[in-house]
Amino acid sequence: MQHRELGDSGIDVSEVGFGAWVIGTDWWGDRDESDALEMVEYALDAGINYFDTSDVYGHGRSEELLGEVLDERGDEMVVATKVGYDFYNNPQAGHGELPKEYDAEYLREAVEKSLDRLGTDHVEYLQLHNPDVAEMDTEVLELLDELREEDVADAIGVALGPSIGWLAEGDFAIEREFDGVQYVGNMLEQDVHRHFVETVEREGASTSLIPRVPHSSGLLNEQVTPETELEAGDHRGFRPDEWYDTGFEKVDTLRFLERDGERTMGQAAIQWLLSYDSVASVTPTFRSKADIDEWASAPETPALSDEERTKVEELYADDFGIDRFDGMEKEEYRTSVDGDDLRAAGILNAD
């Protein structure tokens, strides 16, 4: 496994990370906790050192489970967590978004509770979870500085979503050289990824990008096919049917990336993201040991050529040659600034 520096923090993270949203929750189907812990151990053995969790995943359960492994193998792990949602005072309604709380006092208490669950007094990477630009005010930024000065966190960043978008927030973090920006990005959903790549280049920033969902909810690793019936509770069910139907056709246009015996489509999806220098780590949704075997080894497969990367970008610009609505309105991209960020980036029309 190869590693890249997270921002200018001095922390080296594995090029493939482990998204711990799959442990402690049932958003990707039922999972036995002992199996989840075994997967974390297996990922460590495969060379993965970057583990990304949040206080809201399973209302703290993901952190607790990760803490069990951290207790034994902490010297092998770079742990990232997130705060910003107030699940302590609000019930979870299915997969709905909880209210956020960005009072600095609340955030400090939330960090302390996360550390307790992880069983540590320190976390390598602390992220604000889906903040609006207005919520990252002077008080919050001062708190982040204090937490680093107190050695509570080595690096700071933002994790954006759950809807794709929030360009203003990512730009804000990059312009202020946060160590990292996490977001949804893949070959079938390139807008946000390529915008942040351009922002990093324009600003000459040290900020690292950490794309998640590199397989676009199962299409690019072909775990979702026309015959697939998603389990009840599987988070991927939020995608409209049209999105999957057109997605199957888009995947076929990307077959040129496969190398028989050398690189699978799932590995190519990760290599496409790693072809951008500003990307530090890619966090797939591991559901099995077989996933870990395949995707943790992705960086060892042939890297994408400049021509291959350019062709992927050109296909996206032409909507992969498909003249049919995919069910995903760009007007639904998340924005906290009335769409000004999306219009400025050319994602939405100016009118």
Side-chain angles (χ1 to χ4, degrees), residues 266-302:
Q267 291 170 328
I270 292 172
Q271 281 284 39
W272 180 76
L273 290 164
L274 290 174
S275 71
Y276 296 87
D277 291 340
S278 50
V279 170
S281 186
V282 179
T283 53
T285 301
F286 294 116
R287 294 169 59 86
S288 68
K289 291 180 180 178
D291 290 345
I292 295 172
D293 288 336
E294 180 180 350
W295 304 334
S297 62
E300 310 308 321
T301 65

PDB file of all heavy atoms in Angstrom, residues 266-302:
ATOM      1  N   GLY A 266     -13.590  -1.965 -10.963  1.00  0.00           N
ATOM      2  CA  GLY A 266     -13.581  -1.418  -9.613  1.00  0.00           C
ATOM      3  C   GLY A 266     -12.250  -0.811  -9.239  1.00  0.00           C
ATOM      4  O   GLY A 266     -12.186   0.214  -8.548  1.00  0.00           O
ATOM      5  N   GLN A 267     -11.156  -1.422  -9.680  1.00  0.00           N
ATOM      6  CA  GLN A 267      -9.827  -0.869  -9.417  1.00  0.00           C
ATOM      7  C   GLN A 267      -9.572   0.365 -10.267  1.00  0.00           C
ATOM      8  O   GLN A 267      -8.963   1.337  -9.802  1.00  0.00           O
ATOM      9  CB  GLN A 267      -8.777  -1.946  -9.680  1.00  0.00           C
ATOM     10  CG  GLN A 267      -8.808  -3.083  -8.676  1.00  0.00           C
ATOM     11  CD  GLN A 267      -7.931  -4.259  -9.077  1.00  0.00           C
ATOM     12  OE1 GLN A 267      -7.751  -4.544 -10.269  1.00  0.00           O
ATOM     13  NE2 GLN A 267      -7.380  -4.952  -8.088  1.00  0.00           N
ATOM     14  N   ALA A 268     -10.040   0.343 -11.516  1.00  0.00           N
ATOM     15  CA  ALA A 268      -9.870   1.502 -12.391  1.00  0.00           C
ATOM     16  C   ALA A 268     -10.586   2.727 -11.828  1.00  0.00           C
ATOM     17  O   ALA A 268     -10.096   3.856 -11.946  1.00  0.00           O
ATOM     18  CB  ALA A 268     -10.387   1.186 -13.791  1.00  0.00           C
ATOM     19  N   ALA A 269     -11.741   2.500 -11.193  1.00  0.00           N
ATOM     20  CA  ALA A 269     -12.490   3.623 -10.606  1.00  0.00           C
ATOM     21  C   ALA A 269     -11.666   4.312  -9.525  1.00  0.00           C
ATOM     22  O   ALA A 269     -11.695   5.545  -9.389  1.00  0.00           O
ATOM     23  CB  ALA A 269     -13.810   3.112 -10.030  1.00  0.00           C
ATOM     24  N   ILE A 270     -10.936   3.530  -8.742  1.00  0.00           N
ATOM     25  CA  ILE A 270     -10.068   4.095  -7.704  1.00  0.00           C
ATOM     26  C   ILE A 270      -8.846   4.751  -8.332  1.00  0.00           C
ATOM     27  O   ILE A 270      -8.436   5.859  -7.947  1.00  0.00           O
ATOM     28  CB  ILE A 270      -9.661   2.990  -6.707  1.00  0.00           C
ATOM     29  CG1 ILE A 270     -10.896   2.547  -5.905  1.00  0.00           C
ATOM     30  CG2 ILE A 270      -8.560   3.478  -5.761  1.00  0.00           C
ATOM     31  CD1 ILE A 270     -10.670   1.337  -5.035  1.00  0.00           C
ATOM     32  N   GLN A 271      -8.257   4.089  -9.329  1.00  0.00           N
ATOM     33  CA  GLN A 271      -7.076   4.651  -9.982  1.00  0.00           C
ATOM     34  C   GLN A 271      -7.394   5.958 -10.691  1.00  0.00           C
ATOM     35  O   GLN A 271      -6.542   6.846 -10.776  1.00  0.00           O
ATOM     36  CB  GLN A 271      -6.501   3.645 -10.988  1.00  0.00           C
ATOM     37  CG  GLN A 271      -5.660   2.537 -10.352  1.00  0.00           C
ATOM     38  CD  GLN A 271      -4.283   3.035  -9.940  1.00  0.00           C
ATOM     39  OE1 GLN A 271      -4.122   4.164  -9.449  1.00  0.00           O
ATOM     40  NE2 GLN A 271      -3.279   2.191 -10.109  1.00  0.00           N
ATOM     41  N   TRP A 272      -8.619   6.102 -11.211  1.00  0.00           N
ATOM     42  CA  TRP A 272      -8.983   7.364 -11.853  1.00  0.00           C
ATOM     43  C   TRP A 272      -8.897   8.504 -10.851  1.00  0.00           C
ATOM     44  O   TRP A 272      -8.334   9.567 -11.151  1.00  0.00           O
ATOM     45  CB  TRP A 272     -10.393   7.274 -12.436  1.00  0.00           C
ATOM     46  CG  TRP A 272     -10.814   8.550 -13.116  1.00  0.00           C
ATOM     47  CD1 TRP A 272     -10.404   9.002 -14.343  1.00  0.00           C
ATOM     48  CD2 TRP A 272     -11.686   9.558 -12.596  1.00  0.00           C
ATOM     49  NE1 TRP A 272     -10.985  10.228 -14.616  1.00  0.00           N
ATOM     50  CE2 TRP A 272     -11.772  10.589 -13.557  1.00  0.00           C
ATOM     51  CE3 TRP A 272     -12.419   9.682 -11.419  1.00  0.00           C
ATOM     52  CZ2 TRP A 272     -12.555  11.728 -13.380  1.00  0.00           C
ATOM     53  CZ3 TRP A 272     -13.194  10.816 -11.232  1.00  0.00           C
ATOM     54  CH2 TRP A 272     -13.262  11.829 -12.196  1.00  0.00           C
ATOM     55  N   LEU A 273      -9.414   8.314  -9.658  1.00  0.00           N
ATOM     56  CA  LEU A 273      -9.347   9.351  -8.632  1.00  0.00           C
ATOM     57  C   LEU A 273      -7.909   9.596  -8.177  1.00  0.00           C
ATOM     58  O   LEU A 273      -7.494  10.740  -7.977  1.00  0.00           O
ATOM     59  CB  LEU A 273     -10.226   8.954  -7.447  1.00  0.00           C
ATOM     60  CG  LEU A 273     -11.731   8.996  -7.719  1.00  0.00           C
ATOM     61  CD1 LEU A 273     -12.499   8.240  -6.649  1.00  0.00           C
ATOM     62  CD2 LEU A 273     -12.238  10.432  -7.818  1.00  0.00           C
ATOM     63  N   LEU A 274      -7.129   8.523  -8.029  1.00  0.00           N
ATOM     64  CA  LEU A 274      -5.751   8.674  -7.580  1.00  0.00           C
ATOM     65  C   LEU A 274      -4.854   9.311  -8.638  1.00  0.00           C
ATOM     66  O   LEU A 274      -3.739   9.741  -8.334  1.00  0.00           O
ATOM     67  CB  LEU A 274      -5.177   7.310  -7.184  1.00  0.00           C
ATOM     68  CG  LEU A 274      -5.745   6.684  -5.906  1.00  0.00           C
ATOM     69  CD1 LEU A 274      -5.190   5.272  -5.707  1.00  0.00           C
ATOM     70  CD2 LEU A 274      -5.428   7.543  -4.681  1.00  0.00           C
ATOM     71  N   SER A 275      -5.350   9.422  -9.871  1.00  0.00           N
ATOM     72  CA  SER A 275      -4.547  10.056 -10.916  1.00  0.00           C
ATOM     73  C   SER A 275      -4.448  11.560 -10.711  1.00  0.00           C
ATOM     74  O   SER A 275      -3.627  12.223 -11.356  1.00  0.00           O
ATOM     75  CB  SER A 275      -5.138   9.750 -12.301  1.00  0.00           C
ATOM     76  OG  SER A 275      -6.365  10.446 -12.511  1.00  0.00           O
ATOM     77  N   TYR A 276      -5.264  12.106  -9.810  1.00  0.00           N
ATOM     78  CA  TYR A 276      -5.205  13.531  -9.478  1.00  0.00           C
ATOM     79  C   TYR A 276      -4.287  13.714  -8.268  1.00  0.00           C
ATOM     80  O   TYR A 276      -4.518  13.128  -7.205  1.00  0.00           O
ATOM     81  CB  TYR A 276      -6.610  14.063  -9.177  1.00  0.00           C
ATOM     82  CG  TYR A 276      -7.533  14.009 -10.373  1.00  0.00           C
ATOM     83  CD1 TYR A 276      -8.271  12.860 -10.651  1.00  0.00           C
ATOM     84  CD2 TYR A 276      -7.662  15.096 -11.231  1.00  0.00           C
ATOM     85  CE1 TYR A 276      -9.117  12.802 -11.756  1.00  0.00           C
ATOM     86  CE2 TYR A 276      -8.508  15.047 -12.336  1.00  0.00           C
ATOM     87  CZ  TYR A 276      -9.223  13.888 -12.593  1.00  0.00           C
ATOM     88  OH  TYR A 276     -10.048  13.831 -13.685  1.00  0.00           O
ATOM     89  N   ASP A 277      -3.259  14.536  -8.423  1.00  0.00           N
ATOM     90  CA  ASP A 277      -2.248  14.695  -7.373  1.00  0.00           C
ATOM     91  C   ASP A 277      -2.834  15.208  -6.067  1.00  0.00           C
ATOM     92  O   ASP A 277      -2.298  14.932  -4.992  1.00  0.00           O
ATOM     93  CB  ASP A 277      -1.152  15.655  -7.843  1.00  0.00           C
ATOM     94  CG  ASP A 277      -0.304  15.073  -8.960  1.00  0.00           C
ATOM     95  OD1 ASP A 277      -0.295  13.835  -9.111  1.00  0.00           O
ATOM     96  OD2 ASP A 277       0.341  15.863  -9.683  1.00  0.00           O
ATOM     97  N   SER A 278      -3.917  15.975  -6.124  1.00  0.00           N
ATOM     98  CA  SER A 278      -4.486  16.551  -4.904  1.00  0.00           C
ATOM     99  C   SER A 278      -5.261  15.539  -4.077  1.00  0.00           C
ATOM    100  O   SER A 278      -5.614  15.827  -2.928  1.00  0.00           O
ATOM    101  CB  SER A 278      -5.392  17.738  -5.248  1.00  0.00           C
ATOM    102  OG  SER A 278      -6.307  17.390  -6.266  1.00  0.00           O
ATOM    103  N   VAL A 279      -5.535  14.359  -4.622  1.00  0.00           N
ATOM    104  CA  VAL A 279      -6.240  13.313  -3.872  1.00  0.00           C
ATOM    105  C   VAL A 279      -5.251  12.588  -2.965  1.00  0.00           C
ATOM    106  O   VAL A 279      -4.211  12.114  -3.423  1.00  0.00           O
ATOM    107  CB  VAL A 279      -6.925  12.311  -4.821  1.00  0.00           C
ATOM    108  CG1 VAL A 279      -7.447  11.095  -4.054  1.00  0.00           C
ATOM    109  CG2 VAL A 279      -8.070  12.998  -5.572  1.00  0.00           C
ATOM    110  N   ALA A 280      -5.591  12.507  -1.664  1.00  0.00           N
ATOM    111  CA  ALA A 280      -4.728  11.809  -0.711  1.00  0.00           C
ATOM    112  C   ALA A 280      -5.177  10.374  -0.514  1.00  0.00           C
ATOM    113  O   ALA A 280      -4.353   9.456  -0.447  1.00  0.00           O
ATOM    114  CB  ALA A 280      -4.713  12.532   0.634  1.00  0.00           C
ATOM    115  N   SER A 281      -6.476  10.160  -0.392  1.00  0.00           N
ATOM    116  CA  SER A 281      -6.998   8.820  -0.139  1.00  0.00           C
ATOM    117  C   SER A 281      -8.395   8.711  -0.728  1.00  0.00           C
ATOM    118  O   SER A 281      -9.124   9.701  -0.810  1.00  0.00           O
ATOM    119  CB  SER A 281      -7.046   8.540   1.371  1.00  0.00           C
ATOM    120  OG  SER A 281      -7.423   7.201   1.632  1.00  0.00           O
ATOM    121  N   VAL A 282      -8.746   7.509  -1.145  1.00  0.00           N
ATOM    122  CA  VAL A 282     -10.073   7.205  -1.677  1.00  0.00           C
ATOM    123  C   VAL A 282     -10.725   6.205  -0.726  1.00  0.00           C
ATOM    124  O   VAL A 282     -10.109   5.203  -0.361  1.00  0.00           O
ATOM    125  CB  VAL A 282      -9.972   6.602  -3.089  1.00  0.00           C
ATOM    126  CG1 VAL A 282     -11.353   6.252  -3.629  1.00  0.00           C
ATOM    127  CG2 VAL A 282      -9.245   7.553  -4.036  1.00  0.00           C
ATOM    128  N   THR A 283     -11.968   6.474  -0.318  1.00  0.00           N
ATOM    129  CA  THR A 283     -12.612   5.603   0.676  1.00  0.00           C
ATOM    130  C   THR A 283     -13.814   4.880   0.068  1.00  0.00           C
ATOM    131  O   THR A 283     -14.912   5.426   0.023  1.00  0.00           O
ATOM    132  CB  THR A 283     -13.053   6.400   1.923  1.00  0.00           C
ATOM    133  OG1 THR A 283     -13.852   7.516   1.514  1.00  0.00           O
ATOM    134  CG2 THR A 283     -11.844   6.915   2.678  1.00  0.00           C
ATOM    135  N   PRO A 284     -13.617   3.646  -0.380  1.00  0.00           N
ATOM    136  CA  PRO A 284     -14.739   2.857  -0.897  1.00  0.00           C
ATOM    137  C   PRO A 284     -15.610   2.353   0.246  1.00  0.00           C
ATOM    138  O   PRO A 284     -15.238   2.424   1.421  1.00  0.00           O
ATOM    139  CB  PRO A 284     -14.051   1.673  -1.604  1.00  0.00           C
ATOM    140  CG  PRO A 284     -12.582   1.919  -1.522  1.00  0.00           C
ATOM    141  CD  PRO A 284     -12.353   2.908  -0.441  1.00  0.00           C
ATOM    142  N   THR A 285     -16.761   1.807  -0.130  1.00  0.00           N
ATOM    143  CA  THR A 285     -17.639   1.173   0.845  1.00  0.00           C
ATOM    144  C   THR A 285     -17.366  -0.324   0.824  1.00  0.00           C
ATOM    145  O   THR A 285     -17.884  -1.055  -0.024  1.00  0.00           O
ATOM    146  CB  THR A 285     -19.116   1.451   0.520  1.00  0.00           C
ATOM    147  OG1 THR A 285     -19.335   2.869   0.531  1.00  0.00           O
ATOM    148  CG2 THR A 285     -20.030   0.787   1.552  1.00  0.00           C
ATOM    149  N   PHE A 286     -16.523  -0.786   1.725  1.00  0.00           N
ATOM    150  CA  PHE A 286     -16.197  -2.207   1.807  1.00  0.00           C
ATOM    151  C   PHE A 286     -17.354  -2.967   2.454  1.00  0.00           C
ATOM    152  O   PHE A 286     -17.790  -2.626   3.552  1.00  0.00           O
ATOM    153  CB  PHE A 286     -14.942  -2.426   2.661  1.00  0.00           C
ATOM    154  CG  PHE A 286     -13.683  -1.869   2.066  1.00  0.00           C
ATOM    155  CD1 PHE A 286     -13.004  -0.839   2.696  1.00  0.00           C
ATOM    156  CD2 PHE A 286     -13.168  -2.379   0.891  1.00  0.00           C
ATOM    157  CE1 PHE A 286     -11.823  -0.326   2.165  1.00  0.00           C
ATOM    158  CE2 PHE A 286     -11.988  -1.876   0.350  1.00  0.00           C
ATOM    159  CZ  PHE A 286     -11.318  -0.850   0.980  1.00  0.00           C
ATOM    160  N   ARG A 287     -17.809  -4.012   1.787  1.00  0.00           N
ATOM    161  CA  ARG A 287     -18.882  -4.832   2.329  1.00  0.00           C
ATOM    162  C   ARG A 287     -18.428  -6.261   2.610  1.00  0.00           C
ATOM    163  O   ARG A 287     -19.179  -7.044   3.191  1.00  0.00           O
ATOM    164  CB  ARG A 287     -20.061  -4.849   1.356  1.00  0.00           C
ATOM    165  CG  ARG A 287     -20.724  -3.490   1.198  1.00  0.00           C
ATOM    166  CD  ARG A 287     -21.704  -3.462   0.029  1.00  0.00           C
ATOM    167  NE  ARG A 287     -22.758  -4.445   0.171  1.00  0.00           N
ATOM    168  CZ  ARG A 287     -23.879  -4.245   0.848  1.00  0.00           C
ATOM    169  NH1 ARG A 287     -24.085  -3.098   1.472  1.00  0.00           N
ATOM    170  NH2 ARG A 287     -24.804  -5.176   0.898  1.00  0.00           N
ATOM    171  N   SER A 288     -17.215  -6.599   2.180  1.00  0.00           N
ATOM    172  CA  SER A 288     -16.722  -7.962   2.372  1.00  0.00           C
ATOM    173  C   SER A 288     -15.197  -7.968   2.307  1.00  0.00           C
ATOM    174  O   SER A 288     -14.571  -6.992   1.868  1.00  0.00           O
ATOM    175  CB  SER A 288     -17.274  -8.892   1.286  1.00  0.00           C
ATOM    176  OG  SER A 288     -16.719  -8.547   0.020  1.00  0.00           O
ATOM    177  N   LYS A 289     -14.610  -9.075   2.721  1.00  0.00           N
ATOM    178  CA  LYS A 289     -13.157  -9.231   2.618  1.00  0.00           C
ATOM    179  C   LYS A 289     -12.710  -9.234   1.162  1.00  0.00           C
ATOM    180  O   LYS A 289     -11.619  -8.759   0.830  1.00  0.00           O
ATOM    181  CB  LYS A 289     -12.720 -10.507   3.330  1.00  0.00           C
ATOM    182  CG  LYS A 289     -12.857 -10.462   4.846  1.00  0.00           C
ATOM    183  CD  LYS A 289     -12.402 -11.767   5.474  1.00  0.00           C
ATOM    184  CE  LYS A 289     -12.545 -11.733   6.996  1.00  0.00           C
ATOM    185  NZ  LYS A 289     -12.151 -13.019   7.610  1.00  0.00           N
ATOM    186  N   ALA A 290     -13.558  -9.775   0.304  1.00  0.00           N
ATOM    187  CA  ALA A 290     -13.219  -9.794  -1.122  1.00  0.00           C
ATOM    188  C   ALA A 290     -13.095  -8.373  -1.665  1.00  0.00           C
ATOM    189  O   ALA A 290     -12.228  -8.090  -2.503  1.00  0.00           O
ATOM    190  CB  ALA A 290     -14.278 -10.569  -1.903  1.00  0.00           C
ATOM    191  N   ASP A 291     -13.960  -7.476  -1.180  1.00  0.00           N
ATOM    192  CA  ASP A 291     -13.851  -6.072  -1.565  1.00  0.00           C
ATOM    193  C   ASP A 291     -12.497  -5.513  -1.149  1.00  0.00           C
ATOM    194  O   ASP A 291     -11.836  -4.805  -1.918  1.00  0.00           O
ATOM    195  CB  ASP A 291     -14.953  -5.249  -0.901  1.00  0.00           C
ATOM    196  CG  ASP A 291     -16.336  -5.549  -1.447  1.00  0.00           C
ATOM    197  OD1 ASP A 291     -16.448  -6.166  -2.518  1.00  0.00           O
ATOM    198  OD2 ASP A 291     -17.315  -5.151  -0.776  1.00  0.00           O
ATOM    199  N   ILE A 292     -12.097  -5.817   0.067  1.00  0.00           N
ATOM    200  CA  ILE A 292     -10.815  -5.309   0.567  1.00  0.00           C
ATOM    201  C   ILE A 292      -9.675  -5.852  -0.275  1.00  0.00           C
ATOM    202  O   ILE A 292      -8.749  -5.123  -0.659  1.00  0.00           O
ATOM    203  CB  ILE A 292     -10.632  -5.675   2.051  1.00  0.00           C
ATOM    204  CG1 ILE A 292     -11.685  -4.954   2.897  1.00  0.00           C
ATOM    205  CG2 ILE A 292      -9.231  -5.301   2.537  1.00  0.00           C
ATOM    206  CD1 ILE A 292     -11.731  -5.381   4.354  1.00  0.00           C
ATOM    207  N   ASP A 293      -9.715  -7.150  -0.581  1.00  0.00           N
ATOM    208  CA  ASP A 293      -8.663  -7.755  -1.403  1.00  0.00           C
ATOM    209  C   ASP A 293      -8.523  -7.026  -2.734  1.00  0.00           C
ATOM    210  O   ASP A 293      -7.402  -6.721  -3.181  1.00  0.00           O
ATOM    211  CB  ASP A 293      -8.969  -9.236  -1.668  1.00  0.00           C
ATOM    212  CG  ASP A 293      -8.780 -10.114  -0.445  1.00  0.00           C
ATOM    213  OD1 ASP A 293      -8.003  -9.726   0.454  1.00  0.00           O
ATOM    214  OD2 ASP A 293      -9.401 -11.191  -0.392  1.00  0.00           O
ATOM    215  N   GLU A 294      -9.657  -6.739  -3.368  1.00  0.00           N
ATOM    216  CA  GLU A 294      -9.609  -6.129  -4.702  1.00  0.00           C
ATOM    217  C   GLU A 294      -9.233  -4.657  -4.651  1.00  0.00           C
ATOM    218  O   GLU A 294      -8.346  -4.201  -5.382  1.00  0.00           O
ATOM    219  CB  GLU A 294     -10.963  -6.294  -5.392  1.00  0.00           C
ATOM    220  CG  GLU A 294     -11.006  -5.676  -6.786  1.00  0.00           C
ATOM    221  CD  GLU A 294     -12.344  -5.826  -7.490  1.00  0.00           C
ATOM    222  OE1 GLU A 294     -13.207  -6.576  -6.972  1.00  0.00           O
ATOM    223  OE2 GLU A 294     -12.523  -5.188  -8.550  1.00  0.00           O
ATOM    224  N   TRP A 295      -9.898  -3.896  -3.782  1.00  0.00           N
ATOM    225  CA  TRP A 295      -9.734  -2.449  -3.844  1.00  0.00           C
ATOM    226  C   TRP A 295      -8.499  -1.959  -3.101  1.00  0.00           C
ATOM    227  O   TRP A 295      -7.923  -0.932  -3.479  1.00  0.00           O
ATOM    228  CB  TRP A 295     -10.995  -1.767  -3.333  1.00  0.00           C
ATOM    229  CG  TRP A 295     -12.205  -2.225  -4.090  1.00  0.00           C
ATOM    230  CD1 TRP A 295     -12.239  -2.719  -5.376  1.00  0.00           C
ATOM    231  CD2 TRP A 295     -13.554  -2.274  -3.631  1.00  0.00           C
ATOM    232  NE1 TRP A 295     -13.513  -3.066  -5.727  1.00  0.00           N
ATOM    233  CE2 TRP A 295     -14.351  -2.804  -4.681  1.00  0.00           C
ATOM    234  CE3 TRP A 295     -14.172  -1.912  -2.434  1.00  0.00           C
ATOM    235  CZ2 TRP A 295     -15.715  -2.984  -4.563  1.00  0.00           C
ATOM    236  CZ3 TRP A 295     -15.540  -2.090  -2.313  1.00  0.00           C
ATOM    237  CH2 TRP A 295     -16.302  -2.622  -3.361  1.00  0.00           C
ATOM    238  N   ALA A 296      -8.076  -2.650  -2.052  1.00  0.00           N
ATOM    239  CA  ALA A 296      -6.842  -2.241  -1.380  1.00  0.00           C
ATOM    240  C   ALA A 296      -5.641  -2.428  -2.296  1.00  0.00           C
ATOM    241  O   ALA A 296      -4.623  -1.749  -2.132  1.00  0.00           O
ATOM    242  CB  ALA A 296      -6.656  -3.038  -0.088  1.00  0.00           C
ATOM    243  N   SER A 297      -5.756  -3.333  -3.246  1.00  0.00           N
ATOM    244  CA  SER A 297      -4.647  -3.567  -4.175  1.00  0.00           C
ATOM    245  C   SER A 297      -4.747  -2.674  -5.412  1.00  0.00           C
ATOM    246  O   SER A 297      -3.876  -2.742  -6.291  1.00  0.00           O
ATOM    247  CB  SER A 297      -4.617  -5.038  -4.603  1.00  0.00           C
ATOM    248  OG  SER A 297      -5.806  -5.403  -5.282  1.00  0.00           O
ATOM    249  N   ALA A 298      -5.768  -1.835  -5.497  1.00  0.00           N
ATOM    250  CA  ALA A 298      -5.945  -0.977  -6.675  1.00  0.00           C
ATOM    251  C   ALA A 298      -4.721  -0.120  -6.982  1.00  0.00           C
ATOM    252  O   ALA A 298      -4.334   0.012  -8.152  1.00  0.00           O
ATOM    253  CB  ALA A 298      -7.185  -0.102  -6.508  1.00  0.00           C
ATOM    254  N   PRO A 299      -4.061   0.491  -5.967  1.00  0.00           N
ATOM    255  CA  PRO A 299      -2.897   1.321  -6.287  1.00  0.00           C
ATOM    256  C   PRO A 299      -1.735   0.549  -6.918  1.00  0.00           C
ATOM    257  O   PRO A 299      -0.839   1.173  -7.502  1.00  0.00           O
ATOM    258  CB  PRO A 299      -2.484   1.883  -4.915  1.00  0.00           C
ATOM    259  CG  PRO A 299      -3.740   1.870  -4.114  1.00  0.00           C
ATOM    260  CD  PRO A 299      -4.432   0.619  -4.544  1.00  0.00           C
ATOM    261  N   GLU A 300      -1.747  -0.769  -6.791  1.00  0.00           N
ATOM    262  CA  GLU A 300      -0.672  -1.571  -7.371  1.00  0.00           C
ATOM    263  C   GLU A 300      -0.974  -1.958  -8.822  1.00  0.00           C
ATOM    264  O   GLU A 300      -0.112  -2.534  -9.501  1.00  0.00           O
ATOM    265  CB  GLU A 300      -0.462  -2.843  -6.537  1.00  0.00           C
ATOM    266  CG  GLU A 300      -0.321  -2.604  -5.038  1.00  0.00           C
ATOM    267  CD  GLU A 300       0.734  -1.575  -4.694  1.00  0.00           C
ATOM    268  OE1 GLU A 300       1.806  -1.561  -5.352  1.00  0.00           O
ATOM    269  OE2 GLU A 300       0.498  -0.754  -3.781  1.00  0.00           O
ATOM    270  N   THR A 301      -2.173  -1.671  -9.292  1.00  0.00           N
ATOM    271  CA  THR A 301      -2.520  -1.971 -10.679  1.00  0.00           C
ATOM    272  C   THR A 301      -1.984  -0.869 -11.589  1.00  0.00           C
ATOM    273  O   THR A 301      -1.556   0.190 -11.114  1.00  0.00           O
ATOM    274  CB  THR A 301      -4.046  -2.087 -10.849  1.00  0.00           C
ATOM    275  OG1 THR A 301      -4.649  -0.812 -10.575  1.00  0.00           O
ATOM    276  CG2 THR A 301      -4.616  -3.143  -9.898  1.00  0.00           C
ATOM    277  N   PRO A 302      -1.981  -1.099 -12.915  1.00  0.00           N
ATOM    278  CA  PRO A 302      -1.476  -0.054 -13.817  1.00  0.00           C
ATOM    279  C   PRO A 302      -2.208   1.271 -13.618  1.00  0.00           C
ATOM    280  O   PRO A 302      -3.438   1.315 -13.568  1.00  0.00           O
ATOM    281  CB  PRO A 302      -1.761  -0.645 -15.206  1.00  0.00           C
ATOM    282  CG  PRO A 302      -1.758  -2.123 -15.004  1.00  0.00           C
ATOM    283  CD  PRO A 302      -2.358  -2.325 -13.642  1.00  0.00           C
TER     284      PRO A 302
END
